[in-house]
Amino acid sequence: MRLRIDLAYDGTDFSGWASQPGLRTVQETVQEALGTALRTDPVPVTCAGRTDSGVHARGQVLHVDVDEAVLASSAGRSPVAPTDALVRRLNGILPADVAVRAVAPVPAAFDARFSALWRRYAYRVSDSPATLDPLAVRHVLRWSRPLDVPLMARAAETLQGRHDFAAFCKAREGATTIRTLEHFTWARDEAGLAVAHVRADAFCHSMVRALVGCLLAVGEGRRPVEWPAAVLAAGERTSHVAVAHAHGLVLEEVAYPADADLGARNERTRARRRADEVAGHACPDIEPDTQPDEGPADSEHEGDRG
């Protein structure tokens, strides 16, 4: 049977999502915990989007295939449903910086990656002494200069839509950088933090943090409001766009269609990816990124990361 797992984690002490030899990763930690809970070998999982080293998640989604009899046996004499018993067992096994929020059976067509309609990230910035909070230091970027958030919001609007985001992505040979940025806003939250909300069908490597870095330059007055659109139009990665630190970024939510529409969504996603790869931006003259947060560059996960 196929299960959906809703997962949250603090990414500070992880080398990203993807399993890497000799490094502590979220994927490896979850797979080993599943193996322990089900009394099997580590159980492979598929995620909605690979997060990089230091990036957090409140709304990560996984799918995993398990033997129904094994799941039932793992619950033992628990009076609750086997999926609820699995939640309890996993949270008793996992370290404190990872939490399973829910486990539920889903149709076989559910795919955590290909079924997703969109992914939403948030990036939080403290730009005044009044908003500094030592308890949030692992999750909020401290910025020493005040930001003009309405100006940043205006600039963000110019980047929305379906574009080639090569200027905001780490290039991969043969990989497309075409994305649909459905929603990009900046606003103050109740605590006074400057918060970016970024929603897209998918993201390429470092895209959200590059977008944030670009808008921070506008917010502090170093660049005009028209600059981000000009960067996008240039279509090339430039050193003038700084990639914001990872720790301010959180994967907040992933949306999926109704069960009856899962198969059609999977096909549409795959078809669009294939079309994008044909028409997309490829940079064979740029070496693939080899930072330790990357993990293997495989087509199964490429294109859904923040």
Side-chain angles (χ1 to χ4, degrees):
M1 64 186 302
R2 179 158 290 191
L3 300 177
R4 167 177 169 163
I5 300 176
D6 288 75
L7 192 73
Y9 48 87
D10 181 321
T12 305
D13 297 325
F14 287 101
S15 296
W17 164 265
S19 296
Q20 300 170 75
L23 295 176
R24 184 178 188 249
T25 66
V26 183
Q27 182 178 18
E28 196 74 20
T29 299
V30 171
Q31 291 179 165
E32 289 180 358
L34 275 166
T36 300
L38 297 172
R39 302 183 182 93
T40 66
D41 293 332
V43 182
V45 300
T46 297
C47 73
R50 294 196 307 176
T51 50
D52 293 328
S53 179
V55 176
H56 319 291
R58 284 193 182 90
Q60 179 70 276
V61 179
L62 322 176
H63 80 249
V64 59
D65 294 322
V66 302
D67 185 287
E68 191 168 357
V70 170
L71 177 64
S73 176
S74 72
R77 298 180 179 180
S78 174
V80 302
T83 50
D84 293 335
L86 182 60
V87 171
R88 293 182 182 180
R89 284 180 59 82
L90 286 172
N91 284 327
I93 295 166
L94 288 165
D97 49 1
V98 185
V100 171
R101 292 186 157 182
V103 175
V106 288
F110 178 87
D111 187 296
R113 181 198 178 198
F114 286 109
S115 300
L117 295 171
W118 46 259
R119 299 153 176 86
R120 179 173 65 85
Y121 283 83
Y123 196 101
R124 295 173 174 84
V125 184
S126 170
D127 64 331
S128 73
T131 61
L132 294 177
D133 182 358
L135 300 182
V137 69
R138 290 160 68 103
H139 315 114
V140 177
L141 177 70
R142 290 191 178 189
W143 200 254
S144 60
R145 293 170 293 279
L147 298 169
D148 186 332
V149 173
L151 194 67
M152 297 163 73
R154 283 175 51 198
E157 288 180 2
T158 67
L159 302 177
Q160 294 182 147
R162 186 165 174 79
H163 307 288
D164 186 339
F165 283 92
F168 297 98
C169 298
K170 284 189 176 180
R172 282 289 179 83
E173 184 174 349
T176 178
T177 47
I178 296 173
R179 298 291 185 271
T180 302
L181 189 58
E182 300 175 356
H183 183 76
F184 186 16
T185 63
W186 282 88
R188 297 278 181 187
D189 68 6
E190 294 180 356
L193 298 174
V195 184
H197 287 283
V198 190
R199 191 180 79 198
D201 58 343
F203 297 91
C204 49
H205 183 213
S206 83
M207 178 175 164
V208 177
R209 291 191 286 138
L211 290 169
V212 169
C214 184
L215 272 293
L216 288 173
V218 173
E220 67 175 19
R222 289 192 293 112
R223 296 287 184 175
V225 69
E226 300 84 7
W227 184 62
V231 171
L232 176 68
E236 294 182 351
R237 190 71 179 263
T238 170
S239 60
H240 295 300
V241 176
V243 176
H245 291 284
H247 72 276
L249 185 61
V250 180
L251 174 57
E252 297 281 358
E253 183 182 9
V254 184
Y256 294 93
D259 289 351
D261 299 325
L262 289 169
R265 176 61 187 177
N266 296 342
E267 289 304 312
R268 283 196 299 272
T269 300
R270 288 185 171 94
R272 172 168 279 190
R273 297 287 171 83
R274 287 192 291 268
D276 287 350
E277 286 165 5
V278 171
H281 182 94
C283 296
D285 57 325
I286 299 178
E287 291 185 2
D289 181 69
T290 55
Q291 294 301 311
D293 61 309
E294 270 296 317
D298 58 79
S299 58
E300 263 307 294
H301 294 286
E302 202 59 37
D304 302 306
R305 46 195 306 152

